[in-house]
Amino acid sequence: MSTIHRHLIAAGITVKRTLPIPSPWNSSELVIQRQEFAREFPHRAMDRKIIYLDESHFNLSRYMGRGREIEGKTPLTPIINFRTQTVTLILAIDIEGVVYFEFVRSYSGSSKKGTNSKDFKNFLLNLSLKTNRVRGSIIVMDNASIHAESGIMETFTHLKQFQHIDCAFLPAHSPFMNPVEYAFELIKEEVTKHKFEPNLDTLEKKITEAVNKFASAHAQGCFAIAAKYRKMA
């Protein structure tokens, strides 16, 4: 095995984290859609600022899968049973870093379950009002139902009229083409490094700290990974 290992290393093949891709995601129809997007979008986006956005959930049961302990002992981490109390981070990034973000809370027993189109509409309006970086940009997102409802399309019509903002949708089942997905990974990794009081206020505080650490270099790395997958389409 060591000889095989040395040859693999010499060939530049190393062990990496796998990217699970459900088989329906690679249907011939979706592959064609990704190829068309990868070929056509750069022309549409020429000389335009590109902003990617999406949502991701955080809950109080998140914990580190690894930990330090003396040899012969297993590191233990208390698991907090608060799976039904979640915070959704809606995040917009560009090549320079974080453009804007907001939180949406969900509680057990509440009629509020996750992020809905009203939350997303409010996010878009706040995004356009609270930062000048979005003016004249193209906002790219996946084709989730809350992103494409009629009320959201009306909001984009308004944004195009007054701030020259356009929207574009990624092909279905193509999260690996969205840089913000890799930003979420970095942010969640940072959050799970720290122990904190099991309440949503503190969770939001830790997420905010992690978002504030997301610098231009991180954004460029996320964009580079997504660009690699677009080239592979």
Side-chain angles (χ1 to χ4, degrees), residues 102-129:
E102 284 185 0
F103 294 116
V104 178
R105 291 188 180 188
S106 298
Y107 297 92
S108 175
S110 169
S111 59
K112 184 76 173 68
K113 301 295 183 183
T115 310
N116 56 34
S117 58
K118 181 179 178 181
D119 298 320
F120 189 65
K121 178 179 179 179
N122 289 337
F123 177 83
L124 288 174
L125 293 175
N126 289 334
L127 171 66
S128 66
L129 293 173

Side-chain angles (χ1 to χ4, degrees), residues 24-225:
W25 288 18
N26 277 332
S27 67
S28 57
E29 181 181 356
L30 283 179
V31 170
I32 292 173
Q33 290 177 14
R34 291 178 189 135
Q35 291 172 342
E36 290 176 348
F37 180 88
R39 181 176 61 252
E40 297 173 4
F41 184 71
H43 298 288
R44 178 183 176 189
M46 191 174 297
D47 299 325
R48 300 281 299 276
K49 179 184 288 292
I50 310 302
I51 294 176
Y52 288 85
L53 59 81
D54 204 356
E55 312 85 30
S56 187
H57 304 293
F58 294 72
N59 61 60
L60 292 176
S61 66
R62 287 191 62 85
Y63 62 94
M64 289 184 65
R66 296 177 180 272
R68 296 187 182 276
E69 184 57 277
I70 62 174
E71 186 176 356
K73 290 189 176 183
T74 301
L76 304 177
T77 304
I79 301 176
I80 307 165
N81 188 22
F82 283 116
R83 291 188 180 275
T84 52
Q85 295 191 25
T86 64
V87 169
T88 299
L89 173 65
I90 312 180
L91 178 68
I93 68 170
D94 62 15
I95 193 68
E96 298 174 5
V98 173
V99 177
Y100 182 68
F101 69 97
E102 284 185 0
F103 294 116
V104 178
R105 291 188 180 188
S106 298
Y107 297 92
S108 175
S110 169
S111 59
K112 184 76 173 68
K113 301 295 183 183
T115 310
N116 56 34
S117 58
K118 181 179 178 181
D119 298 320
F120 189 65
K121 178 179 179 179
N122 289 337
F123 177 83
L124 288 174
L125 293 175
N126 289 334
L127 171 66
S128 66
L129 293 173
K130 295 184 178 182
T131 174
N132 292 326
R133 285 165 67 179
V134 73
R135 185 175 182 84
S137 66
I138 301 178
I139 293 178
V140 184
M141 55 205 150
D142 62 35
N143 64 348
S145 59
I146 67 168
H147 297 164
E149 291 186 1
S150 59
I152 300 301
M153 293 299 96
E154 290 174 3
T155 300
F156 272 113
T157 299
H158 172 84
L159 294 178
K160 181 177 180 63
Q161 180 180 358
F162 293 99
Q163 296 205 39
H164 309 292
I165 297 170
D166 289 309
C167 69
F169 292 99
L170 292 164
H173 306 305
S174 303
F176 40 85
M177 299 175 76
N178 192 341
V180 78
E181 299 298 337
Y182 307 106
F184 283 135
E185 287 188 19
L186 294 175
I187 291 167
K188 288 184 175 183
E189 182 178 346
E190 179 64 28
V191 171
T192 55
K193 286 180 181 179
H194 308 285
K195 293 183 178 180
F196 50 85
E197 292 295 322
N199 61 71
L200 294 180
D201 288 334
T202 309
L203 177 58
E204 286 187 2
K205 178 181 177 182
K206 293 300 179 182
I207 297 171
T208 299
E209 291 173 356
V211 169
N212 290 336
K213 290 182 179 180
F214 187 82
S216 176
H218 299 122
Q220 291 171 22
C222 294
F223 270 70
I225 297 172

